């Protein structure tokens, strides 16, 4: 996907759903947290492996 290099699909990780950089963090989780009003800073604290660009690309993917 153009410009979404952080969004990966691997059948052996989370049954192939869209994830962040091959980690077991689904895009749907990130989008859900943002949709329910969780501040990006809190998401990054709770998921230290995530970076702000991961969240941005998750939202772009969902759009």
């Amino acid at each position: 996907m153009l410009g979404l290099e952080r969004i990966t699909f691997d059948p052996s990780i989370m049954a192939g759903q869209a994830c962040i950089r091959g980690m077991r963090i689904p895009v749907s989780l990130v989008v859900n947290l943002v949709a329910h009003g969780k501040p990006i800073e809190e998401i990054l604290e709770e998921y230290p492996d995530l970076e702000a660009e991961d969240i941005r690309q998750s939202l772009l993917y969902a759009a």
Side-chain angles (χ1 to χ4, degrees):
M1 295 189 151
L2 294 175
L4 298 176
E5 65 278 347
R6 291 172 179 252
I7 308 301
T8 58
F9 304 88
D10 183 336
S12 65
I13 299 174
M14 302 298 289
Q17 53 181 310
C19 290
I20 306 296
R21 292 182 286 125
M23 298 184 287
R24 295 186 176 277
I25 302 175
V27 168
S28 60
L29 170 71
V30 175
V31 171
N32 190 28
L33 291 171
V34 172
H36 285 90
K38 179 81 100 181
I40 291 174
E41 296 77 22
E42 284 184 33
I43 297 171
L44 295 174
E45 286 176 19
E46 290 179 17
Y47 297 90
D49 291 332
L50 284 180
E51 299 172 1
E53 182 63 14
D54 298 325
I55 296 172
R56 189 184 80 74
Q57 286 193 25
S58 294
L59 295 173
L60 284 173
Y61 175 78

